[in-house]
Amino acid sequence: MSQERTEGDLRNTGLSLKHDREWDYEIDRIVEAVEERDAETVGLQFPEGLKRRGPAVTDDLRQELPDNVQVMMSGQPCYGACDLDTYMMRRTDVFVHFGHSPMKESDKIIYVPLFSNVEVTPIMEQAFDEELSDPEADPDVGLVTTAQHMNKFGEMREWLEERGYTVHTQRGDERLTHEGQVLGCNYASADVDADQILYVGGGKFHPLGLAMEHPEKNVVIADPVNNAVTVAD
């Protein structure tokens, strides 16, 4: 991706994240879809937390496509996989939605979940030391994460099992693509037979919602981006 800094870049301001995140924008997959469909118009939609990166991704994609293909970026607010810019979607040959996994399959929409490169085991080690119960006393733990870290989900489960935990996971309902996935509006994957839930992911929005939905559970937040372990309360 282009290294030019755009307005809103937080590097060297003291407000940047503790780990330099990179995401897989799957540019090659988008280019292939444009070629297969002989598309002339491409629409890109980013969630609010990634909109400032959108112009650079748009420029990168334009460099990979023929000059006659028009690439547009949506300016509409976006807070989830259900929050699609339908106006743009109806007016483009290919519509790409970044940052979420699909709620509903569609040939028209390409979902790019933006898998993160951040390692998860160091923050899980910290959660193990500070907040998770001793597996000998209470081995049952639920495991959940967001779409960005689903590429590490198997690694998370294996790590916990190696330390003696019985890991409980499920795919909540049809709106969820993956086992163990939570959305800002859907925490059904945490409805498992365990009193403690380990959430591995960035921020507190999802785990706080989870704690409100399941107040009987102890929700441990292991944030691998900001390198912080807390409890949702």
Side-chain angles (χ1 to χ4, degrees):
M1 187 177 132
S2 173
Q3 296 301 308
E4 291 186 13
R5 300 189 182 185
T6 58
E7 185 177 354
D9 196 314
L10 299 179
R11 284 173 288 180
N12 300 326
T13 66
L15 298 174
S16 61
L17 298 170
K18 291 189 177 181
H19 293 285
D20 186 18
R21 276 192 292 191
E22 294 181 4
W23 293 274
D24 183 2
Y25 291 94
E26 300 187 47
I27 297 294
D28 291 343
R29 180 159 74 98
I30 299 169
V31 170
E32 182 178 338
V34 171
E35 293 173 348
E36 287 179 353
R37 303 175 194 186
D38 197 22
E40 295 181 355
T41 55
V42 180
L44 309 180
Q45 184 180 27
F46 295 84
E48 296 308 288
L50 289 169
K51 263 196 173 59
R52 64 188 178 87
R53 297 175 182 266
V57 177
T58 303
D59 288 343
D60 287 347
L61 184 57
R62 284 176 177 148
Q63 292 176 10
E64 299 296 325
L65 292 172
D67 292 340
N68 67 322
V69 177
Q70 184 179 14
V71 183
M72 298 167 282
M73 175 182 158
S74 171
Q76 290 294 316
C78 176
Y79 294 97
C82 59
D83 198 6
L84 301 173
D85 185 345
T86 55
Y87 182 88
M88 173 178 278
M89 186 169 60
R90 288 193 298 266
R91 289 161 176 79
T92 51
D93 300 319
V94 171
F95 182 77
V96 186
H97 181 89
F98 291 93
H100 301 104
S101 57
M103 261 188 188
K104 181 183 294 185
E105 293 295 339
S106 169
D107 292 336
K108 178 88 181 260
I109 307 169
I110 297 174
Y111 288 90
V112 178
L114 296 179
F115 291 135
S116 173
N117 69 323
V118 174
E119 294 299 324
V120 295
T121 50
I123 200 65
M124 292 180 69
E125 186 77 49
Q126 185 177 338
F128 175 72
D129 291 339
E130 297 179 5
E131 297 294 348
L132 287 175
S133 67
D134 186 325
E136 294 187 2
D138 182 9
D140 295 306
V141 60
L143 176 63
V144 296
T145 188
T146 57
Q148 282 69 51
H149 300 283
M150 287 308 309
N151 58 324
K152 303 278 188 178
F153 194 71
E155 181 181 343
M156 298 176 200
R157 178 200 290 272
E158 183 178 349
W159 191 94
L160 288 167
E161 290 175 342
E162 286 176 350
R163 280 149 186 82
Y165 289 102
T166 300
V167 182
H168 298 266
T169 63
Q170 69 173 17
R171 179 188 174 194
D173 59 37
E174 68 278 359
R175 290 187 297 163
L176 296 164
T177 310
H178 305 286
E179 180 180 347
Q181 180 185 6
V182 292
L183 306 177
C185 61
N186 190 320
Y187 307 101
S189 291
D191 189 15
V192 295
D193 190 19
D195 293 331
Q196 60 182 338
I197 302 292
L198 177 62
Y199 166 84
V200 182
K204 292 186 176 182
F205 177 77
H206 292 86
L208 287 176
L210 193 162
M212 293 173 65
E213 183 78 12
H214 297 281
E216 75 284 1
K217 296 184 185 296
N218 181 46
V219 180
V220 177
I221 306 170
D223 185 338
V225 178
N226 293 293
N227 198 31
V229 172
T230 54
V231 173
D233 53 19

